[in-house]
């Protein structure tokens, strides 16, 4: 019996290896990576009956669904999320430790993709002064281009610059949307000196201007039974609105909400992104290079809508119902241009989102709001009393505290002891759940729980001296008037979709836990290419077609 089992295992190995070899010899013409900004996994289930057959449901019904997919680090935010999806590793390795962070070398806050060494292309503003130079590992898209001797193309598209720049990696080309009074897709001299003709044509069209319209529900408002009533104190109205209720008259709200910027916080931002992605598909002749091309699309407007209206708003439901149609539009175009079975798609998210703390409180669930200024003042007062100066604390942001080592050295104090003192002090604060010092994270190898997520998000060169975790259900006080945020180690922020669809993928699902860094190695193995150079994730071969 034992020999028979070994035979079966070996047979399975050779069959699987043969399937991988066939896939490598006949790779897809195009890979499309879709990241939906702020998409909780539950949105697949919550709105399932309302989706059409050609969008989310097609990806699930014809592809492979990893139902228990999580982020394995904090902070769960846009830039670390996109970087982790495409590098196959965590902030501890790739170095994108937030959307922005305090830079210990310059002593200033830095933005994840800002780079004054490059100029804007397509706008006179500074919106194009961007590059991936803060990324410390290469990406799936880089690995693909290197493997193909740079014969294939990589195009990154998103409303947010970071949602386009990080997926495009070092070797691709990225475009993002600049709103204000321009409403144009722009880029950086890191990628090009001038926009290609197809982008210029798109910008000259009325594509962006066509979404300056009233946003009403896609279907009868009474059918939105998966959401809260339209008028609750868990949502924030646009500037100029008395209440966050349908319809939202964008033309009337235009000037007060940043003109074209208001489109970002509506489902029309996703539709505009799909429009531009389809233009890129045609304008760049993707899928026709003779090598595998890559189109990285990030739908950013789901995040803006979520921040504005929250997890259970009718606006959020309407945004996903409309996104479903945009994804269907994209898949139909891929069928027509590339051919069914000739392309590969993955869909995931960069983070989830929390319920508004007032919503939790009203339903007798633990919650609260974080007063950042109060936290800072208490810590400064503690340091002043303990060390006769609060200058030992250099900076406080993104759930991290940075010490000023020059001040500590000048006072002949012990930095490790100060970290311990501050950790013990913070544990007495009601809103704090857990504390980790840099010494703890450098000395230990945490395998499970929140400690593991903190460690995976901790970069020894870039992160703070003390990392702290708030109690679950808490949001920044800025959301006391409605909306939501993210960034924590809790399930509402970590549990997101991972769907695989197309060439080489079988239909099915699993509830075995997977993590975000698994995506890049899994896609790399399907393509038969080397993994990104810092990948720490695992190949999820259960999705492969035998």
């Amino acid at each position: 019996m034992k020999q028979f089992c070994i035979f079966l295992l070996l047979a399975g190995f050779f069959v699987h290896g043969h399937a991988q070899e066939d896939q490598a010899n006949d790779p897809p013409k195009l890979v499309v990576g879709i990241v939906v900004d702020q998409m909780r996994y539950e949105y697949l289930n919550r709105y399932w009956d309302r989706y059409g057959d050609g969008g989310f449901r097609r990806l699930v019904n014809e592809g492979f669904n990893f139902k228990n997919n999580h982020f394995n680090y904090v902070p769960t935010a846009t830039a670390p999320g996109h970087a982790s999806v495409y590098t196959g590793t965590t902030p501890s390795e790739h170095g994108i430790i937030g959307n922005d962070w305090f830079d210990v070398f310059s002593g200033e806050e830095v933005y994840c993709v800002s780079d004054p060494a490059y100029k804007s292309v397509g706008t006179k503003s500074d919106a194009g002064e961007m590059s991936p130079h803060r990324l410390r590992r290469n990406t799936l898209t880089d690995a693909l281009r290197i493997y193909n001797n740079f014969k294939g193309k990589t195009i990154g598209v998103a409303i947010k610059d970071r949602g386009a720049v990080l997926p495009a990696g070092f070797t691709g080309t990225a475009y993002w949307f600049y709103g204000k009074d321009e409403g144009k897709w722009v880029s950086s001299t890191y990628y090009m000196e001038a926009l290609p003709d197809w982008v210029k044509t798109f910008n000259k069209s009325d594509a962006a201007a066509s979404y300056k319209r009233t946003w009403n529900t896609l279907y009868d408002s009474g059918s939105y039974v998966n959401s809260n009533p339209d008028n609750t104190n868990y949502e924030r109205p646009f500037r100029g609105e008395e209440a966050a209720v349908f319809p939202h008259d964008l033309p009337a709200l235009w000037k007060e909400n940043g003109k074209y910027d208001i489109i970002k916080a509506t489902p029309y931002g996703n539709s505009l992104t799909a429009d531009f992605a389809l233009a890129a598909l045609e304008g760049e002749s993707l899928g026709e290079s003779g090598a595998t091309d890559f189109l990285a699309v990030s739908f950013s407007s789901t995040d803006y809508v979520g921040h504005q209206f929250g997890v259970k708003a009718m606006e959020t439901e309407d945004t996903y119902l409309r996104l479903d149609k945009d994804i269907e539009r994209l898949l139909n175009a891929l069928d027509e241009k590339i051919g069914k079975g000739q392309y590969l798609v993955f869909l995931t998210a960069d983070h989830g989102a929390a319920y508004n703390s007032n919503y939790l409180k009203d339903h007798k669930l633990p919650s609260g709001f974080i007063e950042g200024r109060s936290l800072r003042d208490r810590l400064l007062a503690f340091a002043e009393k303990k060390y006769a100066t609060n200058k030992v604390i250099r900076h406080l942001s993104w759930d991290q505290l940075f010490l000023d080592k020059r001040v500590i050295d000048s006072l002949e104090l012990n930095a490790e002891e100060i970290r311990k003192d501050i950790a013990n002090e913070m544990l007495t604060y009601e809103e704090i759940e857990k504390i980790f010092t840099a010494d703890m994270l450098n000395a230990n190898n945490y395998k499970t729980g929140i400690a593991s997520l903190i460690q995976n998000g901790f970069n020894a060169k870039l992160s703070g001296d003390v990392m702290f975790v708030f109690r679950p259900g808490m949001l920044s006080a800025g959301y006391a008037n409605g909306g939501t945020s993210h960034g924590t180690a809790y399930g509402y922020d970590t549990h997101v979709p991972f769907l695989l669809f197309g060439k080489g993928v079988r239909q099915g699902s699993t509830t075995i836990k997977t993590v975000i860094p698994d995506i890049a190695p899994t896609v790399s193995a399907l393509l038969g290419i080397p993994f990104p150079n810092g990948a720490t994730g695992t190949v999820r071969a259960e999705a492969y077609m035998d």
Side-chain angles (χ1 to χ4, degrees), residues 196-510:
D197 287 343
W198 70 266
V199 178
K200 293 178 181 177
T201 299
F202 190 93
N203 282 338
K204 289 177 182 177
S205 72
D206 65 348
S210 70
Y211 293 111
K212 184 181 178 181
R213 61 173 93 150
T214 297
W215 174 20
N216 211 337
T217 53
L218 184 62
Y219 304 111
D220 179 81
S221 60
S223 67
Y224 287 67
V225 296
N226 294 309
S227 303
N228 289 327
D230 197 15
N231 192 8
T232 71
N233 66 340
Y234 316 134
E235 309 169 40
R236 287 184 294 170
F238 288 119
R239 287 186 293 273
E241 285 186 323
E242 293 185 3
V245 297
F246 284 108
H248 300 285
D249 188 349
L250 269 57
L253 301 168
W254 195 253
K255 290 184 179 180
E256 204 168 346
N257 290 273
K259 299 181 179 178
Y260 280 100
D261 279 351
I262 195 174
I263 291 175
K264 299 177 183 179
T266 74
Y268 302 142
N270 289 332
S271 297
L272 180 61
T273 301
D275 294 342
F276 190 77
L278 292 173
L281 185 67
E282 188 68 33
E284 295 287 345
S285 299
L286 297 179
E288 301 176 19
S289 67
T292 301
D293 295 327
F294 203 112
L295 176 61
V297 184
S298 179
F299 289 106
S300 308
S301 289
T302 40
D303 185 67
Y304 289 106
V305 170
H307 279 293
Q308 188 80 25
F309 300 101
V311 168
K312 295 200 65 179
M314 285 176 59
E315 284 84 356
T316 299
E317 180 173 353
D318 195 69
T319 296
Y320 276 90
L321 297 181
R322 292 175 183 271
L323 175 60
D324 181 58
K325 292 185 175 297
D326 286 322
I327 290 174
E328 180 176 3
R329 195 156 54 101
L330 179 59
L331 294 177
N332 288 342
L334 293 171
D335 288 343
E336 182 177 348
K337 182 173 174 58
I338 310 300
K340 288 185 178 182
Q342 296 302 311
Y343 60 89
L344 174 68
V345 176
F346 69 81
L347 182 146
T348 189
D350 55 354
H351 54 76
Y355 290 115
N356 184 272
S357 298
N358 284 325
Y359 173 82
L360 296 176
K361 180 181 178 181
D362 288 347
H363 291 82
K364 301 180 181 180
L365 291 163
S367 65
F369 290 101
I370 303 161
E371 296 285 352
R373 180 172 296 181
S374 170
L375 178 64
R376 183 195 63 187
D377 290 347
R378 279 178 283 164
L379 286 169
L380 291 175
F382 166 78
E384 186 74 41
K385 182 178 180 180
K386 182 78 174 178
Y387 311 110
T389 177
N390 60 28
K391 300 298 183 183
V392 296
I393 296 177
R394 188 181 183 191
H395 191 78
L396 185 70
S397 67
W398 275 95
D399 303 349
Q400 302 182 61
L401 182 145
F402 295 82
L403 297 179
D404 195 320
K405 294 175 176 59
R406 289 173 298 181
V407 171
I408 291 170
D409 289 343
S410 70
L411 296 173
E412 298 182 347
L413 297 172
N414 184 292
E416 184 175 353
E417 289 301 317
I418 293 175
R419 286 190 282 267
K420 289 180 180 178
D421 290 342
I422 290 174
N424 289 331
E425 167 68 11
M426 294 190 75
L427 278 174
T428 68
Y429 299 167
E430 183 182 0
E431 68 268 41
I432 299 296
E433 180 79 5
K434 295 178 184 293
I435 294 282
F436 300 89
T437 66
D439 311 287
M440 295 166 62
L441 296 169
N442 285 322
N444 296 294
N445 185 16
Y446 299 108
K447 296 293 186 182
T448 61
I450 288 177
S452 174
L453 274 68
I454 292 290
Q455 190 164 56
N456 285 337
F458 174 80
N459 186 286
K461 289 179 69 71
L462 304 173
S463 297
D465 290 271
V466 179
M467 319 287 284
F468 44 95
V469 178
F470 293 103
R471 291 188 292 109
M474 301 198 74
L475 286 175
S476 167
Y479 293 95
N481 293 322
T484 193
S485 194
H486 48 83
T488 76
Y490 301 115
Y492 47 79
D493 283 336
T494 68
H495 190 194
V496 299
F498 172 23
L499 307 178
L500 268 177
F501 168 89
K503 191 175 181 66
V505 178
R506 73 177 183 87
Q507 196 284 325
S509 66
T510 182

